Amino acid sequence: MKIVVTGGLGFIGSHTVVELQNEGFEVVAIDNLSNSSIEVLDGIERITGKKPLFENIDLREKAAVQEFFKKHTDVVGVIHFAASKAVGESVENPLLYYENNVNALVYILQEMIKLPKANLIFSSSCTVYGQAEKMPITEDASVQPAMSPYGNTKQIGEEIIFDVANVTNLNSVLLRYFNPIGAHSSAEIGELPLGVPQNLVPFITQTALGLRKELSVFGNDYPTEDGTCIRDYIHVVDLAKAHVIALQRLLKEANQEQVEIFNLGTGTGSSVLEVITAFEKVSGQKLPYKIVPRRSGDVISAYANTDKANDVLGWKAKLTLEDALEDAWKWEKKIRS
Ligand code: WQD
């Protein structure tokens, strides 16, 4: 069965392609290589022995999207990762985010609803919750006004999918990720942050390797135990496996509603200082860091209630924060060797 993975050479996309191939799916990866590299295809092949079909398409080009779906009429599912995802950049350049994250989704949906089966797995984010009142966060927690254009594009994407499902054959699962980190244990694929990393873990591994002088901890005056922000860091391989399970749910028509929502996290919150301590343990080296003022837009705490994913989806994260940091560290050393 042919599955399209948009953003298939990206961080979460590439790990999901591996898990799809492990389950025997035929995969067509689409990527415009704006935040990934073609070598990722070889990394996937080294893990699974099978190079996925690949098409270099910019999903902002409506004609290119139409062309693609005319060619691949045997597609039974689409996992849509392709999007710009840097919160800070989205504030500076909102139109890039609305064009890339919203227009592309519209063009894909316009083609999908012409297929006999329209099964979409949508890459959403816990960012839609903003600063939720209650921890851990459940799927029925209210969606707060977005704190960035990036977050807004995820909220808009979810709303578009609900509206389209209302009047078409579209079936969809919205997966709200918490904080994806780590890399495949083979160190054949991982996170390729181009430029200065915005996210915590790639900045940690680059600092540990001496590529960065020290980590800046954005504030230790939050109302948490050690004063630093709390997040739910989930191993990217656990996250990838959840996508395959969600897709299989739609293919078996086991979904209870046309659109279903699941939080994907470990259910455990870790503070920035706890991540640093865990990294020092797995790497065996001290991490240089300094406390600096808070980063605007950061929420104090966000970690998932995973009951629905566990009970309904039948998925549970198996890998720990230390597993993820170990794999991230192994990957960083590999790509810089
Ligand atoms: C984690 C914690 C920072 C860097 C964002 C998006 C989310 C998703 C993941 C795409 C925070 C602190 C970070 C640093 C630090 N992106 N930090 N020094 O902001 O929770 O989530 O990325 O889907 O949608 O919102 O992740 O890794 O940037 O930050 O102290 O150099 O680490 O303040 O508390 P975040 P992050």
Side-chain angles (χ1 to χ4, degrees):
M1 292 197 271
K2 186 183 278 184
I3 305 297
V4 179
V5 180
T6 75
L9 300 194
F11 176 39
I12 308 170
S14 56
H15 287 81
T16 303
V17 169
V18 164
E19 298 308 325
L20 283 166
Q21 289 188 325
N22 288 346
E23 287 296 312
F25 286 102
E26 183 194 359
V27 177
V28 189
I30 292 179
D31 209 297
N32 68 357
L33 303 177
S34 62
N35 191 24
S36 58
S37 79
I38 195 74
E39 283 79 51
V40 171
L41 276 175
D42 302 323
I44 292 170
E45 187 179 20
R46 284 195 293 274
I47 296 170
T48 65
K50 206 164 171 314
K51 190 176 269 192
L53 295 173
F54 170 69
E55 299 213 17
N56 181 341
I57 293 174
D58 190 323
L59 298 169
R60 291 170 295 189
E61 308 295 333
K62 182 171 181 172
V65 176
Q66 291 173 324
E67 204 45 50
F68 176 86
F69 279 93
K70 273 205 193 79
K71 197 166 125 188
H72 297 277
T73 52
D74 53 347
V75 167
V76 295
V78 176
I79 305 184
H80 182 43
F81 291 106
S84 302
K85 63 159 201 140
V87 172
E89 182 189 46
S90 78
V91 174
E92 302 304 317
N93 193 348
L95 285 175
L96 166 75
Y97 276 68
Y98 288 112
E99 186 186 34
N100 197 31
N101 296 9
V102 180
N103 289 9
L105 175 63
V106 168
Y107 298 153
I108 289 167
L109 286 170
Q110 284 173 327
E111 299 312 310
M112 281 187 70
I113 56 175
K114 297 174 191 165
L115 297 170
K117 288 273 172 208
N119 294 309
L120 173 71
I121 307 295
F122 179 67
S123 162
S124 189
S125 170
C126 63
T127 208
V128 304
Y129 297 116
Q131 178 54 71
E133 280 88 46
K134 209 162 73 60
M135 292 299 135
I137 303 174
T138 56
E139 286 82 355
D140 56 7
S142 57
V143 172
Q144 307 273 355
M147 294 165 73
S148 70
Y150 161 74
N152 203 23
T153 65
K154 289 302 177 184
Q155 291 180 10
I156 293 169
E158 293 191 355
E159 286 161 16
I160 289 172
I161 289 165
F162 272 105
D163 289 346
V164 172
N166 260 343
V167 290
T168 68
N169 66 340
L170 177 68
N171 282 282
S172 183
V173 173
L174 314 179
L175 296 176
R176 291 176 176 168
Y177 311 153
F178 281 69
N179 286 57
I181 61 167
H184 194 270
S185 57
S186 65
E188 296 294 359
I189 53 174
E191 191 169 6
L192 277 174
L194 308 176
V196 180
Q198 299 302 305
N199 295 130
L200 178 66
V201 171
F203 207 106
I204 286 178
T205 54
Q206 288 190 19
T207 302
L209 211 59
L211 298 173
R212 308 280 163 203
K213 183 167 158 294
E214 62 189 348
L215 171 74
S216 297
V217 173
F218 298 142
N220 69 345
D221 56 350
Y222 285 95
T224 62
E225 214 166 290
D226 64 19
T228 62
C229 296
I230 293 168
R231 295 288 184 277
D232 184 336
Y233 297 95
I234 174 169
H235 197 298
V236 65
V237 171
D238 275 329
L239 195 65
K241 289 181 172 163
H243 286 74
V244 181
I245 292 170
L247 175 74
Q248 287 167 328
R249 179 176 172 84
L250 293 184
L251 293 175
K252 288 183 305 202
E253 299 180 4
N255 47 310
Q256 304 297 308
E257 296 141 300
Q258 266 188 264
V259 182
E260 293 183 322
I261 299 176
F262 295 95
N263 286 341
L264 294 185
T266 65
T268 305
S270 302
S271 74
V272 176
L273 293 180
E274 284 170 336
V275 174
I276 292 171
T277 305
F279 181 78
E280 291 178 332
K281 186 167 166 240
V282 300
S283 66
Q285 59 184 71
K286 285 300 283 170
L287 189 87
Y289 70 87
K290 65 180 176 193
I291 305 293
V292 300
R294 297 180 176 189
R295 176 173 70 174
S296 70
D298 272 337
V299 297
I300 301 165
S301 174
Y303 54 95
N305 176 310
T306 58
D307 294 346
K308 190 178 174 192
N310 301 162
D311 304 342
V312 177
L313 204 50
W315 166 88
K316 187 166 179 52
K318 295 195 174 62
L319 298 163
T320 65
L321 172 67
E322 289 184 6
D323 293 330
L325 292 171
E326 197 156 343
D327 290 333
W329 180 222
K330 200 168 137 193
W331 166 251
E332 186 70 62
K333 289 186 282 184
K334 164 91 182 284
I335 54 175
R336 309 293 178 187
S337 60

